[in-house]
Amino acid sequence: MLARLVLLSFPAVASAAGDEWTKLAAPNFEVFTTAGQGRGREVLQHFEQMRGFFLSKTGWNLPPGPPVRVVVFRSEKQFDLYRDSKIFGAYYLSGRDRDYIVMGPASSQGRRLAAATFLYLLIRKSGMQLPLWLQVGLAELYSTLTPFAGKVKVGHPLEHHVRTLATSRWYHLETLFAVTHDSPV
């Protein structure tokens, strides 16, 4: 938790950390990264595309505010200093004055994690109160968002989910609908 609190004062931390940080900005996002300018541009473009897609397809209105600050680390070692769990490769953090998305290094899951994490931010900012199972399901669905021929594809099967569905015990609907952040499930 302390690492997340440190991110709230990120510019000062970034300059003191000794790593070379690159900052890129667009109307709705700021990207701070140690992964280089090329990776930073890719991340910035991807977030702007996702925002445009989600807002045009959902009609959600977001309250005005400063750009979302996206922090992308070059290595797992750097990222480990700022995350609470090895399980998550990205997370969303709402600060008093702005929102943050913090991501580990580029990987095959980088775009998926970015989309899923951004959807959590959109759900929170839109004011919707969705059950946890629906939030997670929507995040997984839209994590497949992929630019394709000037459009966006979404909804292709995720191999690890297909495998899990084929090999694991399914929950009863009552159990699934009762899941909260504090549930042992």
Side-chain angles (χ1 to χ4, degrees):
M1 186 64 170
L2 178 60
R4 288 185 181 194
L5 294 174
V6 168
L7 280 172
L8 296 177
S9 60
F10 187 74
V13 172
S15 63
D19 293 305
E20 187 164 326
W21 288 90
T22 301
K23 177 186 176 185
L24 298 112
N28 303 295
F29 298 94
E30 294 177 341
V31 172
F32 285 82
T33 183
T34 58
Q37 191 165 2
R39 174 70 176 137
R41 265 194 306 274
E42 288 174 20
V43 170
L44 188 61
Q45 180 181 13
H46 185 61
F47 273 97
E48 286 289 351
Q49 286 175 331
M50 285 188 303
R51 184 181 190 280
F53 170 81
F54 283 121
L55 295 183
S56 71
K57 299 301 179 194
T58 64
W60 293 342
N61 291 317
L62 298 179
V68 174
R69 186 165 285 163
V70 181
V71 180
V72 183
F73 292 96
R74 178 187 67 235
S75 70
E76 288 292 328
K77 183 178 177 183
Q78 288 177 332
F79 184 42
D80 283 347
L81 298 172
Y82 295 93
R83 69 175 168 187
D84 292 338
S85 168
K86 293 268 188 194
I87 296 172
F88 301 110
Y91 61 89
Y92 160 61
L93 178 64
S94 180
R96 188 176 59 204
D97 298 330
R98 77 170 58 237
D99 294 302
Y100 297 81
I101 293 176
V102 184
M103 300 173 54
S107 69
S108 61
Q109 292 188 359
R111 284 183 172 265
R112 283 195 57 243
L113 292 170
T117 306
F118 184 59
L119 184 66
Y120 287 123
L121 180 149
L122 287 176
I123 289 169
R124 184 172 188 282
K125 288 297 182 183
S126 71
M128 288 191 301
Q129 298 295 316
L130 299 177
L132 182 59
W133 64 268
L134 184 55
Q135 285 184 44
V136 172
L138 288 172
E140 286 296 303
L141 170 67
Y142 286 108
S143 76
T144 65
L145 202 128
T146 309
F148 179 75
K151 297 184 179 180
V152 175
K153 281 182 9 178
V154 68
H156 66 271
L158 297 170
E159 186 58 39
H160 65 282
H161 289 316
V162 172
R163 199 171 31 257
T164 299
L165 288 170
T167 60
S168 297
R169 183 179 67 87
W170 289 28
Y171 292 108
H172 293 282
L173 286 179
E174 300 84 25
T175 303
L176 178 65
F177 290 172
V179 171
T180 65
H181 285 286
D182 300 325
S183 299
V185 175

